[in-house]
Amino acid sequence: MDDGTQGVLLADASNAFNVINRKTALVNLRYLCPNLSIFATNFYRVPTKLYLSEGQVILSSEGTTQGCNIASPFYSISIRPLINSLSLTAAKTIFYADDGAGVGKLVALRSWWDTLCLAGPGLGYFPNASKSILLVKEPYLATAKTLFSDTTIQIISDGTRYLGAPLGSESFRETYVSNMVQEWCNQLEALAAASETEPQAAFAAYCVGLSKKWLF
């Protein structure tokens, strides 16, 4: 965090992809991405049939459909009005699908959270305070607890993970990276041991599995 930043608020949404307001999303998509809107409207304008293992059928009427190829862009573009509302606050905003974060001073982050709670439900984005995390610099920990005392947001000062990357103190980041590297080493050692009896299978697992995970 830079010198002017007091905290980072990582917002969690309850079943975000499953409860997004489909009708509102289709309307937003018509204006925000007309080309994708044509396909999305044809796909989502009527409930989708989901077939269960016993031959039963249930209808998917809200949110995105499990396994849909356009689920991520459909969701991300449709909540753009929410992101625009958050951008009007003094906090900086970043979103990756349903993973939202606000960065800035604590007062600005409180306004950011209130805006999220007010504007989100209309689009089907329901903030889950108990699973949201506010990471603050140590000197501002007491202030943060007072400012967010009426919420169940987790308030910490050491560090946390966001989109697979560590945020926080230097010691937290070093520990996080060390643990990750150790996990990679353990996986590679297990693969090497398996290669003694199954070399082709181990080679395939490395090429299509482990190496791709590292790249990601």
Side-chain angles (χ1 to χ4, degrees), residues 119-170:
L123 294 170
Y125 188 99
F126 298 91
N128 187 343
S130 62
K131 291 187 177 181
S132 298
I133 298 175
L134 174 59
L135 173 63
V136 299
K137 293 179 178 177
E138 185 67 33
Y140 304 105
L141 186 58
T143 303
K145 291 182 178 180
T146 300
L147 197 59
F148 289 85
S149 60
D150 60 334
T151 73
T152 56
I153 294 175
Q154 305 173 55
I155 302 175
I156 58 176
S157 60
D158 53 345
T160 187
R161 185 185 72 168
Y162 179 62
L163 297 179
L167 295 176
S169 64
E170 183 176 354

Side-chain angles (χ1 to χ4, degrees), residues 18-113:
N18 294 325
V19 298
I20 186 173
N21 189 310
R22 189 175 291 182
K23 291 183 179 180
T24 302
L26 289 175
V27 172
N28 289 336
L29 213 63
R30 187 185 308 164
Y31 297 97
L32 298 173
C33 189
N35 291 337
L36 181 61
S37 172
I38 297 173
F39 179 83
T41 299
N42 290 335
F43 191 86
Y44 281 114
R45 61 183 169 186
V46 296
T48 306
K49 293 181 179 180
L50 301 179
Y51 294 88
L52 305 182
S53 58
E54 298 179 354
Q56 297 177 324
V57 178
I58 60 176
L59 296 179
S60 172
S61 301
E62 284 288 16
T64 60
T65 300
Q66 187 75 21
C68 176
N69 291 332
I70 66 165
S72 184
F74 173 63
Y75 180 90
S76 300
I77 297 173
S78 65
I79 64 167
R80 183 69 203 188
L82 173 61
I83 299 174
N84 291 342
S85 297
L86 294 171
S87 299
L88 296 177
T89 67
K92 296 180 181 178
T93 300
I94 180 173
F95 259 80
Y96 180 80
D98 60 327
D99 291 311
V103 183
K105 297 185 181 299
L106 291 178
V107 173
L109 290 178
R110 180 62 211 229
S111 175
W112 188 90
W113 175 256

